[in-house]
Amino acid sequence: MCGICCSVSFAVEHANRDLRADLLYNLKQRGPSSSKQLLKCDANYQCLFSGHTLHLRGAVTAQPLEDEGGNVFLWNGEVFNGLKVETQDNDTRIVFNCLSSCTNESDILSLISKVQGPWSFIYYQASSHSLWFGRDFFGRRSLLWHFNNLSESFCLSSVGTQTSGVVTQWQEVPVSGIFRIDLHSTATSKCVILKLYPWNSNSGEKVIQECVGSLTQISANLPKFVSVEASEAKLYLENPIVPLNMILPQGPFETHCTDISRGPPTRETLQVCLNTHMREVVQQFIDVLSISVKRRVLCLPRDESLTPDEALGTRGRKANIAILFSGGIDSMVIATLADRHIPLDEPIDLLNVAFMTTEKARPARFNPKKSKKKNHCEFAFEECSPNPAAMADDNPDTRFNVPDRVTGRAGLKELQAINPSRIWNFVEINVSLEELQKLRRARICQLIQPLDTVLDDSIGCAVWFASRGIGYVAAADKVKSYQSDAKVILTGIGADEQLAGYSRHRVCFQKHGFEGLNKEIEMELGRISSRNLGRDDRVIGDHGKEARFPFLDENVVSFLNSLPIWEKANLTLPRGIGEKLLLRLAAMQLGLTASALLPKRAMQFGSRIAKMEKNNEKASDKCGRLQGVSLENLSIEKR
Ligand SMILES: *[C@@H]1O[C@H](CO)[C@@H](O)[C@H](O)[C@H]1NC(C)=O
Ligand SMILES: *[C@@H]1O[C@H](CO)[C@@H](O)[C@H](O)[C@H]1NC(C)=O
Ligand SMILES: *[C@@H]1O[C@H](CO)[C@@H](O)[C@H](O)[C@H]1NC(C)=O
Ligand SMILES: *[C@@H]1O[C@H](CO)[C@@H](O)[C@H](O)[C@H]1NC(C)=O
Ligand SMILES: *[C@@H]1O[C@H](CO)[C@@H](O)[C@H](O)[C@H]1NC(C)=O
């Protein structure tokens, strides 16, 4: 992960020679390996480029890069496929070389279309006085913009700053396509025109329609002096994934769960679904997901990682890969596949976060029936875990024994059974209310913004603490404090959206059948950038670490999009089986046992963060705890 930023000013008297200190600090957190600034001056405009690199592969390549033609490039991404990048190469330089050799717009678009992997970039094309920028199709990397008409300037940045009291706010750059700003004409007209080159998701009429739709949407959120324009005809980016298969089953089908009274889901119920055809589909899924995980665990500078850690007895190796780990099926499948590709003598860190539960909240877990009756929250049934391991736990210190800790420990046992010779560092990250409040104020709130709901607060904070990786590991009968230094963090995000894992999918299916479910899934994948990915990227990047999303690999999404919905989920089957059916079948084939049958539990409930503070909020409410933090009482603490 890197921190990239470009601040452009048109009024020479306001020209910035440096970035604001708080912005610079936030960017440096993301790219601790090297920092560099570059000023480009023209008669009409001035661009300050600021690049902060997290070194991951090839030789350290300080950003921004500049070539002899005066072009400048900032890259926050990974080329996993599409362009050839050898292990010893730096993908930043390769993409820049390709860009520099582009002579027209369509060249640039076909180059960007080829790159597979997460990215956001800023490219200054000297010959046309243009600034190109954008985010990948899913928005796996953050990029924000901030327009300021007072000082006649604008700024693009991976991460923003606290801006309370200021009229114009940071906003996420939409993922509808990539943008170009002509700096010369902006300077003379005093109006910023954002030219959008959209993804070509369909052919003909529909593209134009969609393009107009996204233009209207984008413009609505911008200040008056900024407008969005479509590029000239036929200048599109090529959609990197195949469209969602919306086919409906022939003949009548059931939309209500028939099996609910038969008790907890069993392996046998799952086994029944594994006919010859499904066996084949499951194998194809495992293959494509395995390649995705492989790409994400092998693109690393492994040779440098020989720092012995006798204390933990890790045989002189440190973990290069960590996994956000709840013990749920998504993280278990990723861990199992990661184990296939990571060198055997290298430990894997499993990051498991728990927020201290209050006396009042705790008994709920041990008595699901009671909590069901008491809790009128719409998510109530996401919470009660039928997992038998929850009852078997006999640790006297139960304050942090939240549901995800319990399933995490059970998951650890399964992984140890699958590969006993691997060192699995189960990192128990215990967070107290006091620590949560302190760090939310000091750091996390400015990373979450411009997102601002209660749900963003809960998940943003939980992911921040989990990815920081400071906790405890039990080794040789002793509990030791532990800090995960793995620069790459795998997360299971994207599985629920594509495989109908949320309870809302069941509700939707019961109301609107397969057609409704297809539409819901299409919509959710379309909004995952603005709902989750930008936020998670900013939060994880703050530790100088990089999030990677195996379920959002282009080939994985294309494969899942090509399947009819009923091969991915069968919501007439009970919870713990029907949702994410395909993933459960894959888990079973991979040798996983109990975790293959765990129902979905949202992170905010599993980690118990949602129980820490106010209990009566709705997830979609604006979160007061993220607001009203003024710059004066913001004391940034260095770790
Ligand atoms: C990667 O960057 C380093 C340092 O900037 C440079 O020496 C090296 O040639 C680059 N590699 C490639 C393949 O461009
Ligand atoms: C763009 O430039 C390439 C050569 O780099 C050329 O082959 C192509 O025809 C040009 N396209 C347009 C639309 O001008
Ligand atoms: C800046 O924009 C605001 C609102 O869009 C407007 O009220 C104000 O007059 C503008 N200021 C200048 C200097 O253009
Ligand atoms: C962290 O929480 C676990 C319970 O899940 C507990 O066993 C452990 O003692 C706690 N560690 C510390 C240092 O509080
Ligand atoms: C869903 O599962 C049930 C029970 O196994 C089965 O009867 C039904 O055909 C499945 N539905 C679809 C669409 O495959």
Side-chain angles (χ1 to χ4, degrees):
M1 190 97 40
C2 301
I4 62 176
C5 176
C6 177
S7 169
V8 181
S9 45
F10 298 99
V12 180
E13 65 273 22
H14 291 292
N16 296 325
R17 299 255 143 207
D18 210 344
L19 294 177
R20 278 173 52 156
D22 53 351
L23 182 56
L24 197 59
Y25 181 90
N26 289 348
L27 287 163
K28 275 190 177 154
Q29 293 285 106
R30 294 174 60 89
S33 311
S34 85
S35 285
K36 208 174 125 190
Q37 308 230 112
L38 175 71
L39 195 62
K40 277 259 146 194
C41 294
D42 184 87
N44 294 315
Y45 61 86
Q46 184 187 278
C47 300
L48 177 64
F49 298 92
S50 186
H52 308 268
T53 311
L54 172 67
H55 177 228
L56 281 168
R57 58 172 163 172
V60 182
T61 307
Q63 300 197 41
L65 291 175
E66 188 181 17
D67 67 9
E68 56 284 3
N71 303 312
V72 179
F73 187 50
L74 287 165
W75 174 251
N76 173 29
E78 295 287 347
V79 179
F80 285 134
N81 206 7
L83 288 183
K84 199 162 174 56
V85 181
E86 304 289 353
T87 353
Q88 72 282 2
D89 289 351
N90 33 60
D91 55 345
T92 311
R93 191 166 289 278
I94 286 178
V95 178
F96 185 41
N97 287 347
C98 293
L99 271 174
S100 300
S101 64
C102 292
T103 53
N104 55 37
E105 289 169 307
S106 61
D107 275 358
I108 290 184
L109 296 173
S110 61
L111 169 67
I112 296 293
S113 302
K114 260 194 269 174
V115 175
Q116 295 200 356
W119 50 260
S120 64
F121 76 95
I122 302 170
Y123 174 59
Y124 171 73
Q125 193 178 31
S127 60
S128 66
H129 299 275
S130 288
L131 203 59
W132 295 78
F133 59 93
R135 301 164 68 191
D136 74 75
F137 186 79
F138 300 114
R140 288 165 287 186
R141 291 290 175 259
S142 169
L143 191 65
L144 308 176
W145 60 30
H146 179 268
F147 296 94
N148 187 345
N149 67 342
L150 289 174
S151 60
E152 293 177 21
S153 66
F154 71 88
C155 191
L156 301 166
S157 178
S158 305
V159 61
T161 51
Q162 209 72 43
T163 52
S164 60
V166 182
V167 209
T168 51
Q169 296 287 332
W170 291 96
Q171 292 168 345
E172 291 191 333
V173 171
V175 299
S176 329
I178 62 171
F179 295 89
R180 181 169 74 86
I181 297 178
D182 182 328
L183 298 174
H184 248 319
S185 63
T186 302
T188 42
S189 68
K190 306 278 181 216
C191 290
V192 181
I193 296 171
L194 297 161
K195 191 173 271 192
L196 171 66
Y197 303 82
W199 296 102
N200 182 4
S201 50
N202 288 284
S203 51
E205 278 301 293
K206 203 161 171 211
V207 185
I208 298 161
Q209 231 175 17
E210 276 179 8
C211 186
V212 170
S214 64
L215 286 179
T216 334
Q217 218 177 350
I218 298 165
S219 315
N221 297 321
L222 292 170
K224 291 267 181 302
F225 66 101
V226 184
S227 58
V228 189
E229 239 175 44
S231 67
E232 291 78 22
K234 298 212 182 69
L235 285 175
Y236 297 123
L237 292 164
E238 227 165 277
N239 197 328
I241 57 161
V242 306
L244 184 66
N245 182 347
M246 305 283 259
I247 194 171
L248 301 175
Q250 305 280 307
F253 58 85
E254 194 57 53
T255 55
H256 281 79
C257 188
T258 46
D259 261 17
I260 206 95
S261 55
R262 284 197 210 151
T266 63
R267 215 178 149 71
E268 286 65 43
T269 330
L270 208 47
Q271 201 84 49
V272 171
C273 303
L274 207 58
N275 58 29
T276 324
H277 172 66
M278 277 312 282
R279 207 175 280 274
E280 207 170 288
V281 174
V282 167
Q283 194 50 53
Q284 287 170 348
F285 180 44
I286 292 175
D287 291 345
V288 72
L289 189 61
S290 179
I291 292 171
S292 161
V293 170
K294 182 178 180 180
R295 286 199 181 109
R296 283 160 178 78
V297 302
L298 292 187
C299 287
L300 274 176
R302 275 230 151 59
D303 40 358
E304 294 171 23
S305 65
L306 284 157
T307 50
D309 188 348
E310 256 83 53
L312 280 165
T314 49
R315 290 174 221 154
R317 281 282 202 163
K318 78 175 181 72
N320 281 308
I321 305 287
I323 300 170
L324 289 190
F325 187 76
S326 65
I329 179 162
D330 310 350
S331 57
M332 285 296 288
V333 168
I334 288 178
T336 309
L337 292 175
D339 176 56
R340 290 186 169 184
H341 303 296
I342 295 173
L344 194 57
D345 59 348
E346 188 180 301
I348 297 176
D349 287 346
L350 306 171
L351 308 177
N352 183 270
V353 66
F355 291 84
M356 195 182 355
T357 50
T358 59
E359 283 306 310
K360 233 175 92 202
R362 190 163 22 98
R365 183 180 65 80
F366 295 102
N367 194 344
K369 270 201 201 111
K370 198 168 152 209
S371 85
K372 227 180 198 168
K373 231 185 292 167
K374 260 189 353 202
N375 198 336
H376 300 293
C377 164
E378 61 169 313
F379 289 104
F381 79 113
E382 298 259 70
E383 288 185 73
C384 47
S385 154
N387 175 23
M391 313 302 165
D393 187 80
D394 56 40
N395 194 314
D397 187 359
T398 54
R399 287 170 312 148
F400 291 103
N401 268 347
V402 303
D404 278 0
R405 180 63 47 83
V406 177
T407 50
R409 287 208 179 111
L412 172 67
K413 290 214 175 77
E414 281 188 41
L415 293 173
Q416 284 168 334
I418 283 180
N419 189 351
S421 47
R422 165 84 59 195
I423 295 173
W424 299 96
N425 290 324
F426 182 67
V427 188
E428 302 191 16
I429 296 158
N430 297 350
V431 186
S432 67
L433 179 61
E434 189 191 15
E435 203 183 4
L436 168 67
Q437 291 177 336
K438 187 172 122 195
L439 284 156
R440 174 196 284 127
R441 219 178 316 119
R443 289 246 25 101
I444 307 170
C445 65
Q446 48 187 319
L447 305 169
I448 292 173
Q449 64 109 3
L451 273 56
D452 60 2
T453 66
V454 167
L455 191 64
D456 292 319
D457 173 52
S458 296
I459 297 187
C461 290
V463 169
W464 191 87
F465 279 103
S467 54
R468 185 171 69 158
I470 297 179
Y472 304 90
V473 165
D477 299 328
K478 266 201 236 149
V479 176
K480 301 234 153 141
S481 62
Y482 182 82
Q483 155 111 50
S484 169
D485 289 323
K487 284 185 188 170
V488 170
I489 298 185
L490 303 179
T491 103
I493 195 159
D496 288 311
E497 287 77 4
Q498 296 180 79
L499 297 169
Y502 291 113
S503 55
R504 60 174 178 264
H505 290 124
R506 246 169 223 279
V507 175
C508 173
F509 180 64
Q510 281 165 16
K511 276 198 197 145
H512 308 293
F514 281 108
E515 202 172 352
L517 186 57
N518 275 333
K519 281 193 188 135
E520 175 72 17
I521 286 176
E522 187 178 45
M523 184 274 286
E524 287 187 11
L525 203 56
R527 71 173 185 197
I528 197 171
S529 67
S530 55
R531 275 277 183 123
N532 307 91
L533 296 177
R535 178 198 64 209
D536 292 352
D537 176 71
R538 291 190 293 280
V539 163
I540 295 173
D542 192 50
H543 303 297
K545 299 179 179 185
E546 170 165 307
R548 293 183 180 174
F549 313 100
F551 286 109
L552 293 174
D553 179 88
E554 285 81 352
N555 293 339
V556 171
V557 176
S558 275
F559 173 74
L560 291 176
N561 272 5
S562 73
L563 299 178
I565 178 67
W566 62 85
E567 290 179 1
K568 296 185 266 193
N570 180 342
L571 299 183
T572 62
L573 294 170
R575 274 171 50 72
I577 293 198
E579 76 282 6
K580 293 191 277 193
L581 175 66
L582 181 62
L583 187 61
R584 295 179 192 283
L585 294 171
M588 194 169 68
Q589 293 297 82
L590 290 170
L592 296 173
T593 51
S595 58
L597 299 166
L598 284 181
K600 164 75 187 167
R601 196 169 45 226
M603 186 178 199
Q604 67 273 26
F605 301 122
S607 68
R608 280 275 187 257
I609 187 171
K611 289 271 181 207
M612 290 270 265
E613 289 156 303
K614 292 179 183 167
N615 270 325
N616 53 355
E617 297 170 319
K618 279 204 357 231
S620 56
D621 287 348
K622 278 219 187 325
C623 180
R625 295 180 293 281
L626 292 174
Q627 288 154 6
V629 187
S630 73
L631 283 171
E632 297 82 81
N633 52 34
L634 195 114
S635 61
I636 293 170
E637 295 152 88
K638 295 210 179 175
R639 291 204 312 274

